[in-house]
Amino acid sequence: MRQHYRLEGLSCANCAAKFEKNIRELPSVQDVQLNFGASKLMVEGEASVMELEQAGAFDGIKVRHEHEKAAPPAPFWKNKEVQSMVFSLPFLLSGWFVLFLSGEESIGAVLLFALSIAIGGWRLLLTGLTNLFKFEFDMKTLMTIAIIGAAIIGEWGEGAVVVFLFAVSEVLERFSMDKARNSIRSLMDIAPQQAAVLRDGEERLVPVEEAKIGELIMIRPGQKIPLDGVVDNGSSYVNQSAITGESVAVKKEAGDEVFAGTLNEEGALRVRITKWAEDTTLAKIIHLVEEAQAEKAPSQAFVDRFAKYYTPAIMMIALLVAIVPPLAAGGLWEEWIYRGLAVLVVGCPCALVISTPVAIVTAIGHAAKRGVLIKGGVHLETAGKITAVAFDKTGTLTKGTPEVRDVRSFSSMDSNELLSYAGAIERYSQHPLGRAIVQAAKDLPLAEADQFESITGKGVQGVIDGKVYWISRADDKVRLTREMKETVDEFRKNGSTVMLMGQGEQVLGIIAASDTIREESRSIVQKLYQAGIKKTVMLTGDHALSASSIGKEIGIQQIEAELMPQQKLEIIKRIQQNDGKVAMVGDGINDAPALAMADVGIAMGGAGTDAALETADIALMADDLHQLPETISLSRKTLKIIKQNIAFALGLKVLALLLIIPGWLTLWMAIFADMGATLIVVLNSLRLMRVK
């Protein structure tokens, strides 16, 4: 049996690894996966919540079922770690005051320092000693050795300061990690827990889990929509910023789709439920973002490998510092043991281990709140390294809703009759050009067509009155008269896509349809160049003339036209070989092979589109190209911050270690350096929440 849980109090990456190891050792557990970024746990087996909490008792980790409502957070001052830290402070200050008056560590000062250590660090010492007996050397083990060592050589005051500063570091780290996770927690809280369902002519308030697909729910002005559905009756403006990041409310009428967690601003709406509570777009976004936060980025994998060897190396260096000088050069044992303990304290890998995940968690959560779904740290990092962007044309650079602009007949059929036949054939087509023809023919009497057949990349055909009629894009394989060729070229130069309709070998007429370029397309391409993108490419199945007309208007550098899906794939490979990492921007369905081949696949319009959410590495939920340069900028900023974090974490420790040579590094300076590195790393990562 597979169970999912939420965790409270999980702030340390090392503690998370130990917690997972403890659960894995439970006899009733077959498998376990712990998501540190999302503070989430998956357990396969029969373990109870009590057993799981016992496995995390060393760090006070609390466990609750995934759908169980979280208790309101306790006030800051009620936190046990905070209370221990605060109650230990008076004894620490009193000890230093007595030491100042007496000039040396008297019995009174030692007792006060010992009480400060006991009150503020008993959890730390208990965990550290347990780890020591099990030969598990993590951060708390190193701290315990340092504190006990300080007491043995008579440095009670410094031991007490180490305990206090470590407690401060733990509290601040927990607070900072909670802050980083808040972006996803706020998403979880935006959807109402109850829905006003119409049953037997009455309005009943029921939990969203009990509402059924097909039932009607009422949403009044100012209320949030509890479940995904389609408007059955009513009209209103709905604020969809929670899902798509759009700042402007969207008008919704009968037949329009609405999403859980969005806000109904004006009119009353009656909505027919289309998805269960666990399948809503919001629920999928939350799930995918949490999975993304669990996925390790390349830099994090490197740091994890580095930390695996780093901790034993620090312990070995500390041991050598403590014993080599007294044995080899006759140094004072007390002095060099003290320096060895300082090495242990300053060498704690906490800041290094947390340097990457806290940046990844913050960036992915921040992007999700603004309507950009990034499905993993690896994609976030890769997006920051791309040098080329390839665009699908239809629905990406253009609005994706072409309109028929002109119809020319080259047979005995007039243009209306030609359009009527074309509309009858295209009635069953899902292609945007086919829908444009049906829309243009909606006021005409349509003939009856059957035996509809679609040939990918070629066109469609159908049978009307026993004759096979076909519609395809104009190409060299179809023989055209000079007049037809001139008409085709005329339409293409105006940026239109040209379709031929014929019967047998005869071309009966020409239909020209054109798509409207998105207003923002040109400015977005310019912003991409400003963001550091060196090359832009447009991939389309359209004819070269019409593609060139649109591409030049937008400012695209390279235009590849008349492409089949396989050819798009080959061009992506060629760009990767010649220009480095490439992102492909498409609709998530038609361009699936190219999206998969690109280093980063970016889908337009993820809201409500399952295929886009599933196939792309990044989904722009609002179908808004403005989010593209912003996402690349966020990715590059994240890469920069990760590098800064690693530099801070290692640089500060190297600097502190250098102070050992002249003997200037004290225990309290060592813990201050470790705490400082951790706080710098976390606060630096939280700057990502301010990226516009």
Side-chain angles (χ1 to χ4, degrees):
M1 183 174 67
R2 181 171 292 185
Q3 293 283 350
H4 294 271
Y5 302 92
R6 300 275 173 193
L7 306 173
E8 302 291 338
L10 187 70
S11 60
C12 162
N14 281 326
C15 299
K18 184 179 177 182
F19 180 42
E20 184 175 355
K21 179 176 175 289
N22 289 350
I23 295 173
R24 203 175 292 280
E25 289 173 355
L26 293 174
S28 57
V29 171
Q30 283 83 53
D31 190 25
V32 58
Q33 291 175 7
L34 194 149
N35 181 336
F36 172 67
S39 204
K40 193 175 175 182
L41 178 71
M42 186 285 290
V43 176
E44 199 165 303
E46 302 292 332
S48 66
V49 170
M50 188 180 294
E51 286 178 299
L52 297 176
E53 288 192 343
Q54 189 63 38
F58 67 92
D59 201 40
I61 299 167
K62 297 296 177 186
V63 181
R64 62 180 170 84
H65 286 282
E66 184 177 24
H67 298 297
E68 185 182 330
K69 195 166 179 64
F76 183 72
W77 56 271
K78 281 193 173 181
N79 185 288
K80 289 180 181 178
E81 285 80 5
V82 174
Q83 290 177 346
S84 298
M85 180 181 73
V86 170
F87 290 144
S88 71
L89 183 59
F91 294 99
L92 176 63
L93 296 176
S94 300
W96 281 105
F97 182 70
V98 170
L99 186 64
F100 174 75
L101 290 178
S102 62
E104 59 182 19
E105 282 199 353
S106 61
I107 296 295
V110 169
L111 285 173
L112 288 167
F113 288 138
L115 281 170
S116 179
I117 291 171
I119 293 169
W122 68 270
R123 290 185 186 84
L124 165 66
L125 292 169
L126 187 63
T127 304
L129 288 170
T130 305
N131 291 350
L132 196 56
F133 289 128
K134 292 180 179 178
F135 291 97
E136 294 176 357
F137 296 99
D138 63 4
M139 180 177 58
K140 291 187 177 179
T141 314
L142 301 186
M143 285 293 174
T144 300
I145 294 170
I147 293 162
I148 293 172
I152 290 171
I153 62 174
E155 295 290 345
W156 288 90
E158 296 226 16
V161 171
V162 167
V163 168
F164 179 75
L165 289 177
F166 181 74
V168 172
S169 174
E170 289 266 274
V171 168
L172 290 176
E173 185 181 328
R174 182 162 298 188
F175 175 78
S176 302
M177 276 307 299
D178 284 344
K179 184 86 173 168
R181 291 177 179 133
N182 271 346
S183 52
I184 296 306
R185 288 181 181 168
S186 61
L187 277 178
M188 291 177 187
D189 295 336
I190 63 173
Q193 298 302 305
Q194 293 182 311
V197 180
L198 296 174
R199 289 179 180 170
D200 303 323
E202 294 182 4
E203 194 176 308
R204 299 182 186 178
L205 209 59
V206 302
V208 289
E209 293 82 10
E210 295 179 15
K212 300 171 184 174
I213 291 176
E215 288 190 309
L216 293 170
I217 53 176
M218 286 298 302
I219 297 103
R220 294 178 170 78
Q223 290 183 337
K224 285 185 178 178
I225 297 170
L227 293 156
D228 283 12
V230 173
V231 177
D232 181 73
N233 185 264
S235 173
S236 181
Y237 281 89
V238 175
N239 186 328
Q240 300 188 144
S241 60
I243 300 293
T244 66
E246 295 169 285
S247 57
V248 180
V250 180
K251 190 173 184 181
K252 298 290 183 179
E253 298 176 317
D256 289 337
E257 192 174 12
V258 292
F259 307 109
T262 57
L263 178 66
N264 179 29
E265 291 191 344
E266 294 180 0
L269 294 174
R270 190 172 69 193
V271 173
R272 189 172 299 279
I273 300 169
T274 56
K275 292 180 182 177
W276 300 104
E278 62 269 23
D279 294 330
T280 63
T281 299
L282 177 63
K284 284 183 179 178
I285 290 171
I286 292 169
H287 173 73
L288 288 169
V289 170
E290 288 181 335
E291 293 302 308
Q293 289 178 330
E295 184 184 325
K296 290 187 178 180
S299 58
Q300 186 176 345
F302 162 75
V303 166
D304 288 348
R305 288 195 304 271
F306 182 79
K308 185 178 177 182
Y309 301 103
Y310 170 85
T311 304
I314 284 292
M315 292 191 69
M316 184 57 66
I317 291 170
L319 181 63
L320 292 174
V321 167
I323 66 172
V324 170
L327 290 175
L332 293 173
W333 279 100
E334 184 177 305
E335 179 186 341
W336 287 99
I337 288 174
Y338 179 87
R339 292 187 187 186
L341 295 175
V343 172
L344 270 188
V345 173
V346 81
C348 279
C350 190
L352 181 65
V353 170
I354 208 171
S355 61
T356 301
V358 71
I360 296 293
V361 167
T362 304
I364 289 176
H366 177 69
K369 285 187 73 175
R370 278 148 186 78
V372 178
L373 181 61
I374 302 171
K375 293 171 63 177
V378 63
H379 307 307
L380 180 70
E381 281 200 19
T382 306
K385 297 174 183 175
I386 61 173
T387 55
V389 178
F391 294 93
D392 170 50
K393 179 181 76 70
T394 307
T396 303
L397 294 172
T398 63
K399 291 183 178 178
T401 51
E403 296 177 6
V404 172
R405 303 295 183 189
D406 207 340
V407 179
R408 302 273 178 94
S409 176
F410 292 92
S411 65
S412 59
M413 301 172 74
D414 62 26
S415 58
N416 281 344
E417 189 178 2
L418 192 80
L419 194 58
S420 170
Y421 272 49
I425 296 168
E426 293 281 14
R427 184 187 295 169
Y428 306 101
S429 172
Q430 293 300 310
H431 196 281
L433 289 171
R435 290 199 292 269
I437 291 173
V438 173
Q439 179 66 22
K442 67 178 181 178
D443 296 326
L444 300 173
L446 296 184
E448 286 296 323
D450 53 22
Q451 296 182 38
F452 172 82
E453 186 179 352
S454 174
I455 305 165
T456 304
K458 299 289 185 183
V460 296
Q461 65 182 38
V463 176
I464 300 175
D465 295 333
K467 296 179 180 179
V468 177
Y469 292 86
W470 51 263
I471 301 171
S472 73
R473 296 192 185 188
D475 57 32
D476 296 334
K477 295 176 183 176
V478 181
R479 297 177 64 182
L480 301 175
T481 65
R482 177 181 293 178
E483 185 185 359
M484 288 178 186
K485 286 180 181 177
E486 288 174 355
T487 303
V488 168
D489 288 344
E490 175 195 337
F491 287 149
R492 283 173 174 165
K493 284 175 183 175
N494 294 328
S496 293
T497 299
V498 181
M499 292 166 285
L500 306 178
M501 179 172 168
Q503 194 264 315
E505 297 291 322
Q506 183 186 6
V507 175
L508 302 175
I510 298 174
I511 302 171
S514 62
D515 199 354
T516 307
I517 296 172
R518 290 176 183 264
E519 293 174 6
E520 69 270 22
S521 290
R522 183 169 180 79
S523 66
I524 294 306
V525 170
Q526 295 307 311
K527 285 180 182 177
L528 286 174
Y529 295 140
Q530 292 166 13
I533 298 301
K534 293 181 173 57
K535 186 170 189 175
T536 55
V537 184
M538 185 173 81
L539 308 178
T540 178
D542 273 1
H543 189 274
L545 273 176
S546 55
S548 179
S549 172
I550 291 171
K552 285 178 181 176
E553 187 176 343
I554 293 169
I556 299 289
Q557 288 176 330
Q558 181 179 331
I559 297 152
E560 300 285 350
E562 302 178 41
L563 301 175
M564 299 290 285
Q566 180 60 33
Q567 291 172 307
K568 289 185 180 182
L569 196 70
E570 290 164 3
I571 290 170
I572 291 290
K573 288 180 184 177
R574 195 163 68 236
I575 297 170
Q576 287 171 327
Q577 290 168 359
N578 300 332
D579 301 287
K581 294 192 181 295
V582 59
M584 171 69 190
V585 188
D587 63 9
I589 305 169
N590 297 336
D591 301 296
L595 284 167
M597 175 54 63
D599 296 286
V600 180
I602 302 174
M604 295 286 290
T609 310
D610 289 345
L613 289 175
E614 296 300 329
T615 60
D617 303 319
I618 298 175
L620 308 181
M621 306 297 288
D623 196 20
D624 182 5
L625 272 176
H626 284 104
Q627 294 173 327
L628 181 58
E630 292 167 5
T631 302
I632 291 171
S633 295
L634 175 68
S635 302
R636 294 192 169 175
K637 183 77 172 175
T638 304
L639 276 178
K640 188 177 177 182
I641 280 180
I642 287 171
K643 289 174 183 174
Q644 289 172 352
N645 285 350
I646 294 171
F648 280 139
L650 290 176
L652 204 56
K653 290 183 185 298
V654 168
L655 182 64
L657 287 170
L658 289 175
L659 295 177
I660 290 171
I661 298 168
W664 295 345
L665 185 69
T666 62
L667 277 177
W668 69 267
M669 283 173 64
I671 185 65
F672 201 74
D674 178 66
M675 180 177 75
T678 302
L679 288 180
I680 287 171
V681 160
V682 172
L683 294 174
N684 192 42
S685 298
L686 291 179
R687 287 196 302 129
L688 288 165
M689 297 180 78
R690 297 169 60 190
V691 176
K692 295 291 176 68

